[in-house]
Amino acid sequence: MTQGQDPKTGEHIAYHTCPLCEATCGLEFTLKDNRVIRIRGDKEDVFSTGYLCPKGASIVDLHNDPDRLRTPMVRTGDTWKKVSWDEAFAAVEKGLLPLIKKDGNDAVALYLGNPNAHTMAASCFLKVLIKSLKSKNIYSSSSVDQIPKHVSCGFMFGSPLTIPIPDIDRTNYFLILGANPLASNGSLCTAPDFPGRLRSLKKRGGKLVVIDPCRTKTAQMANEHHFIRPGTDALFLLSLVHVLFKENLVSLGKLDGHVTGIEVVKKASELFSPESVEGHCGINKTTIFKIARELAAADKAVVYARMGTSVVEFGTLSNWLVDVLNVLTGNLDKEGGAMFPMAAHVPVIPAVKGKGFKIGRWKSRVKGLPEVMGEFPAATLADEIVTPGSGQIKALLTVAANPVISNPNSTRLDKALSTLDFMVAVDFYLNETNRHAHVILPPASPLSHSQYDFFFYGLSVRNIANFSPPVIPCHEQEMDKWMILIRLASIFSGMGATADPKAMDDMVIQFMINQALASSKTQLADRSLDDILAMLDKNDGPVRILDFLLRTGPYGDGFGLNSKGLSLDTLLAHPHGIDLGPLKPRIPEILLTPSGKIELAPDLIVSDIKRLHTFIQKPPERQLVLISRRHLRSNNSWFHNLPKLVKGKNRCTLQINPEDASLLGLEEGCPACVSSAVGALTIPIEISGDMMKGVVSIPHGWGHDFPGMSLSVAASVPGVNSNILADEKLMDTLSGNAVLNGIPVSISVP
Ligand SMILES: Nc1nc2c(c(=O)[nH]1)N[C@H]1C(S)=C(S)[C@@H](COP(=O)(O)OP(=O)(O)OC[C@H]3O[C@@H](n4cnc5c(=O)[nH]c(N)nc54)[C@H](O)[C@@H]3O)O[C@H]1N2
Ligand SMILES: Nc1nc2c(c(=O)[nH]1)N[C@H]1C(S)=C(S)[C@@H](COP(=O)(O)OP(=O)(O)OC[C@H]3O[C@@H](n4cnc5c(=O)[nH]c(N)nc54)[C@H](O)[C@@H]3O)O[C@H]1N2
Ligand code: SF4
Ligand SMILES: [Mo]
């Protein structure tokens, strides 16, 4: 009988943190004979208290999806063959090692997709894979997403992972730009039931202001919504800074003495008065003055921005200015402002001064683009594949990624992938990208993995720790993702395709322990490797690593030093999670800048302001521009194969304002041809008064009409891929982030 099983019904309950988005909701599963018969939000979850969205409710459909791959596959020509795991890894070794020998390590590129951030496997073992691959050609979905935030935080706070999070449960004034948490459930702000938290803000008399070219569901629940011309947030934000200085509203509060560069920021903002930017961003000067004054006057206020401000030409500048505003109004590191979480698995090592953050330590071969966090921009992947010469990419390994849908100028990238000598995909769907692979290595279903959100507890509005064991055990044919990553790392490191994954796993944990033992700053100074190993959880892989990190973390038991402290056992005894409390001030302890202060005016960022200045000297753009949108029932490109989530009316439409539609002679439901500098597509029209004039939107993640895939449901409701229209040559200069919003387009009736 399974533990906890009801002897009468044969049912048992399992709890698991949802791995599908950043919100980390607790799910409650009722199982019988290892089949889920009911799923609901876990009311006792300390963080989500019963909340769940339609995607979380469909995770079992994903588990049961007949198209989900359960065995490795090898392709010859157009024919896929199911093979054993040993055969699959042997095929990878045979396909990649001779190529590395002949053309060097850079000939094999690695592309890491979004779901990696949600798995323990990737959090623990991707570094090992990257290290063993020794290729400069590392790419990820970060550069079609949030890398501008990493760059701005890296320069300001000394580490790209030191990201302040809006303290939404305690703020009284919340200014949101380019985020739609009512669809996305929040990003770089882990907050289950984001809608409920926004309702509470309003209930306690707080104010919600949303800046977005679309009157989204989030905008509709706000006290105020202002349309903004896509791509111009940096101008709007810099003019807020301008007003703060002009009206003597700057007040650092407790940050006084911890900030450098204020005068430089003041000077830089001088040219950006509300009057000079209003025509470009479409927000009038009266509103800009009002928002600046309200922001300064609120006792607890916070500015928060996401995707809409990130995948644009001035992505780093916008993300920097968000935190500049939080600093100048005294709201950074303050209750109800933007605060730094203290996750249970991240050791607190008082640093005060650090080496600072660097980009461009090496450059991409074809376009000379700077490396950022060890990666090149995803937008230049195709360049590196199609341009001959030494260092050309000849093979690709993708892990949980679908760049053919998610990257700009996807038609070009799709063609480039078809020219590769060899491709390996770690993924459980044969999707638009993976159809180019020669080997697919499918990890087990999300319900068969353990879960602890290494990334998102570091980005969370409360300090939370929650570990969940697998809901349904891994089928004997299936392999946990961490094993796949380790076996790949073993191939690249020369240990061979047949190496015992345990050997590499042991090496990793021993390395981590030895590093901690060697550091005089940890509590382990006089312990031994064997001591620690003997005390650790006896599981393999990420679970053992988690135990180690929890115990050496800020709330940890220090391997016996603090008997009340956390370990894996404590989390196992608390299946609804442990709430470690609200966020607390952490400055200066977390600053790793060379000055030991918040560096408000990093040279590279400040020098990028001249691009903004050039921009406002030109007359305001009036051409129609395209932006993206998300829907609660989609998850980037990979949730359109679940019937429950795609039923109903077609969501892949071009939304356009009624006035623009009438000017162009477009009618509701009729197809329109949309073209840009790099591509064209045809899509049905949806006329919507919620769109700003001059702006149209297409949801991202669609376009499932390629041959050679195995996504039967998605193929029946394919939609179109908006990234056919995104020009891969447009990037945020500093971070290399792709420009996916604000794309100039023309529309005609076919
Ligand atoms: N249901 C669902 N949830 C998801 C995802 C999903 O695909 N579906 N994806 C997940 C991922 S990977 C991420 S990164 C997060 C993203 O989470 P969010 O950042 O909240 O994402 P979006 O819903 O795309 O919201 C972006 C908003 O920016 C607006 N916008 C576009 N251009 C501009 C601009 O120039 N300026 C301003 N101010 N606004 C602009 C858009 O109209 C849109 O409302 O969501 C995650 N959650
Ligand atoms: N135009 C436009 N383009 C965008 C965006 C936009 O707003 N507009 N958003 C961008 C953003 S924010 C992001 S994050 C990217 C996302 O883009 P990507 O990261 O390239 O792709 P996803 O659509 O998230 O697909 C992820 C793949 O991972 C697989 N997968 C899921 N779980 C696992 C797992 O546990 N292990 C493994 N190995 N595989 C798994 C799925 O089957 C799927 O094939 O798209 C970006 N592209
Ligand atoms: S909001 Fe996110 S974490 Fe919560 S149930 Fe939905 S997909 Fe899962
Ligand atoms: Mo993302």
Side-chain angles (χ1 to χ4, degrees):
M1 198 159 79
T2 314
Q3 204 193 349
Q5 190 170 322
D6 181 329
K8 267 198 232 136
T9 61
E11 294 174 7
H12 78 277
I13 305 275
Y15 300 98
H16 199 79
T17 307
C18 178
L20 299 178
C21 89
E22 300 181 34
T24 72
C25 300
L27 304 179
E28 182 191 288
F29 297 85
T30 307
L31 295 108
K32 191 169 180 176
D33 305 326
N34 265 333
R35 285 182 57 82
V36 176
I37 55 170
R38 191 174 61 222
I39 174 167
R40 57 185 181 196
D42 173 11
K43 288 201 180 70
E44 290 176 69
D45 185 279
V46 295
F47 202 17
S48 61
T49 62
Y51 183 81
L52 97 165
C53 81
K55 281 185 297 168
S58 306
I59 193 167
V60 181
D61 300 356
L62 175 69
H63 180 86
N64 294 329
D65 185 351
D67 284 337
R68 183 173 63 78
L69 306 179
R70 277 115 171 128
T71 39
M73 311 257 285
V74 168
R75 179 173 65 87
T76 320
D78 289 336
T79 315
W80 284 99
K81 191 177 148 214
K82 290 183 182 173
V83 295
S84 71
W85 284 99
D86 283 344
E87 285 172 299
F89 286 111
V92 173
E93 188 169 52
K94 192 166 153 229
L96 292 180
L97 285 197
L99 212 148
I100 292 179
K101 207 163 169 202
K102 180 167 152 274
D103 294 317
N105 293 63
D106 293 344
V108 181
L110 174 62
Y111 192 106
L112 305 170
N114 169 273
N116 284 302
H118 300 265
T119 69
M120 294 183 75
S123 311
C124 294
F125 293 116
L126 272 183
K127 261 196 202 152
V128 182
L129 180 62
I130 292 171
K131 249 192 162 161
S132 60
L133 183 59
K134 295 190 210 72
S135 168
K136 285 203 188 74
N137 278 309
I138 309 292
Y139 301 81
S140 86
S141 56
S142 291
S143 56
V144 286
D145 187 350
Q146 82 290 354
I147 212 154
K149 189 81 203 167
H150 292 303
V151 171
S152 71
C153 289
F155 285 123
M156 290 175 90
F157 309 120
S159 159
L161 299 178
T162 303
I163 295 176
I165 306 304
D167 185 11
I168 59 180
D169 294 342
R170 293 183 291 182
T171 197
N172 291 327
Y173 187 92
F174 195 10
L175 175 60
I176 298 187
L177 302 101
N180 184 14
L182 262 73
S184 69
N185 292 305
S187 180
L188 298 187
C189 177
T190 286
D193 191 12
F194 214 120
R197 289 170 200 267
L198 292 181
R199 279 193 298 274
S200 303
L201 159 76
K202 288 179 70 186
K203 237 191 232 155
R204 64 178 178 268
K207 184 162 179 179
L208 174 62
V209 180
V210 171
I211 309 289
D212 198 303
C214 173
R215 191 179 299 114
T216 59
K217 290 232 160 65
T218 309
Q220 285 166 26
M221 79 177 290
N223 302 78
E224 257 175 46
H225 162 241
H226 303 284
F227 285 128
I228 187 165
R229 174 95 183 156
T232 64
D233 296 77
L235 289 173
F236 166 71
L237 292 164
L238 197 46
S239 71
L240 293 178
V241 172
H242 174 99
V243 178
L244 292 182
F245 280 114
K246 192 167 170 216
E247 303 197 345
N248 272 325
L249 298 174
V250 171
S251 164
L252 299 190
K254 283 208 300 207
L255 294 180
D256 215 353
H258 294 291
V259 187
T260 66
I262 295 172
E263 281 306 311
V264 180
V265 173
K266 180 178 177 189
K267 181 126 197 18
S269 71
E270 275 166 9
L271 294 169
F272 298 87
S273 64
E275 292 81 358
S276 68
V277 306
E278 61 176 353
H280 290 82
C281 27
I283 302 183
N284 65 46
K285 60 176 191 270
T286 319
T287 305
I288 300 179
F289 275 108
K290 185 172 112 182
I291 292 178
R293 289 169 193 153
E294 284 181 359
L295 197 58
D299 61 335
K300 295 170 179 176
V302 63
V303 187
Y304 161 71
R306 262 310 273 132
M307 275 298 283
T309 65
S310 192
V311 285
V312 291
E313 270 184 270
F314 303 112
T316 304
L317 283 172
S318 331
N319 279 281
W320 165 67
L321 286 161
V322 164
D323 288 322
V324 166
L325 282 165
N326 286 326
V327 169
L328 294 179
T329 52
N331 284 306
L332 190 97
D333 203 40
K334 186 183 121 180
E335 233 180 72
M339 304 194 75
F340 300 97
M342 187 158 82
H345 62 278
V346 182
V348 173
I349 301 176
V352 186
K353 276 186 192 177
K355 286 194 206 131
F357 173 65
K358 290 194 177 58
I359 58 174
R361 293 166 297 174
W362 53 89
K363 301 261 168 74
S364 70
R365 179 181 63 103
V366 178
K367 289 194 169 154
L369 299 167
E371 144 290 332
V372 176
M373 296 172 81
E375 299 179 11
F376 290 135
T380 198
L381 174 60
D383 300 324
E384 297 290 337
I385 296 174
V386 301
T387 314
S390 162
Q392 181 183 6
I393 295 174
K394 301 280 182 64
L396 176 67
L397 166 60
T398 61
V399 184
N402 195 1
V404 164
I405 297 292
S406 60
N407 278 18
N409 199 348
S410 32
T411 310
R412 180 174 180 243
L413 181 59
D414 182 54
K415 275 204 196 108
L417 295 190
S418 69
T419 67
L420 289 169
D421 289 352
F422 203 72
M423 183 179 151
V424 180
V426 182
D427 200 313
F428 43 58
Y429 279 121
L430 205 180
N431 64 14
E432 296 78 4
T433 299
N434 303 339
R435 72 199 179 94
H436 294 292
H438 298 84
V439 182
I440 301 184
L441 306 167
S445 123
L447 291 185
S448 302
H449 296 284
S450 300
Q451 186 67 7
Y452 171 93
D453 281 279
F454 281 101
F455 279 102
F456 301 113
Y457 292 143
L459 300 166
S460 167
V461 298
R462 290 184 74 84
N463 292 314
I464 299 288
N466 197 342
F467 171 78
S468 7
V471 177
I472 297 171
C474 216
H475 189 277
E476 59 186 23
Q477 274 176 354
E478 295 182 329
M479 191 173 278
D480 194 314
K481 184 171 165 183
W482 73 267
M483 291 261 202
I484 301 176
L485 298 183
I486 278 207
R487 287 191 66 172
L488 288 170
S490 301
I491 292 175
F492 295 125
S493 66
M495 289 162 76
T498 52
D500 179 4
K502 196 163 167 23
M504 177 79 85
D505 181 33
D506 285 345
M507 268 163 51
V508 172
I509 190 76
Q510 288 176 22
F511 177 81
M512 292 174 82
I513 299 172
N514 279 329
Q515 242 191 351
L517 294 177
S519 163
S520 57
K521 288 179 181 157
T522 66
Q523 315 146 314
L524 300 185
D526 47 3
R527 309 291 282 269
S528 76
L529 175 68
D530 289 342
D531 247 11
I532 303 291
L533 276 174
M535 291 177 82
L536 271 182
D537 182 77
K538 296 295 167 272
N539 278 293
D540 295 336
V543 176
R544 179 168 60 165
I545 291 179
L546 173 63
D547 190 34
F548 175 71
L549 292 174
L550 287 171
R551 298 175 81 170
T552 46
Y555 316 88
D557 76 356
F559 291 96
L561 292 176
N562 167 17
S563 60
K564 293 208 179 101
L566 292 188
S567 65
L568 184 72
D569 282 344
T570 338
L571 296 200
L572 282 169
H574 291 84
H576 310 289
I578 296 180
D579 182 357
L580 300 159
L583 306 188
K584 296 201 179 98
R586 299 199 58 196
I587 282 180
E589 148 207 304
I590 41 142
L591 296 175
L592 286 166
T593 49
S595 61
K597 311 242 164 151
I598 298 170
E599 299 190 354
L600 205 63
D603 291 343
L604 272 179
I605 296 186
V606 172
S607 65
D608 201 30
I609 293 178
K610 60 178 178 296
R611 271 197 313 136
L612 265 189
H613 194 232
T614 313
F615 185 83
I616 52 167
Q617 282 171 325
K618 290 188 285 187
E621 291 274 350
R622 290 288 169 247
Q623 197 186 342
L624 268 184
V625 289
L626 172 72
I627 60 169
S628 306
R629 65 176 188 268
R630 284 182 159 70
H631 191 279
L632 194 58
R633 289 173 177 271
S634 289
N635 200 9
N636 297 326
S637 73
W638 65 288
F639 258 55
H640 298 147
N641 209 50
L642 306 181
K644 248 199 263 163
L645 293 182
V646 288
K647 69 173 189 220
K649 72 173 202 215
N650 178 13
R651 303 199 299 265
C652 191
T653 57
L654 181 91
Q655 289 183 344
I656 183 164
N657 174 284
E659 277 184 56
D660 289 329
S662 117
L663 271 173
L664 292 162
L666 302 171
E667 282 172 31
E668 178 77 17
C670 292
C673 177
V674 188
S675 57
S676 73
V678 296
L681 51 79
T682 302
I683 183 169
I685 291 290
E686 181 184 349
I687 297 174
S688 164
D690 291 332
M691 288 310 296
M692 183 179 186
K693 246 180 109 256
V695 183
V696 293
S697 113
I698 300 180
H700 91 288
W702 296 84
H704 310 295
D705 50 359
F706 288 90
M709 306 191 310
S710 180
L711 291 170
S712 48
V713 178
S716 69
V717 281
V720 290
N721 180 6
S722 68
N723 282 328
I724 288 174
L725 300 170
D727 186 345
E728 86 286 5
K729 295 180 286 306
L730 299 180
M731 285 179 210
D732 169 40
T733 315
L734 272 182
S735 66
N737 209 40
V739 172
L740 306 173
N741 279 334
I743 301 159
V745 289
S746 313
I747 301 181
S748 58
V749 181

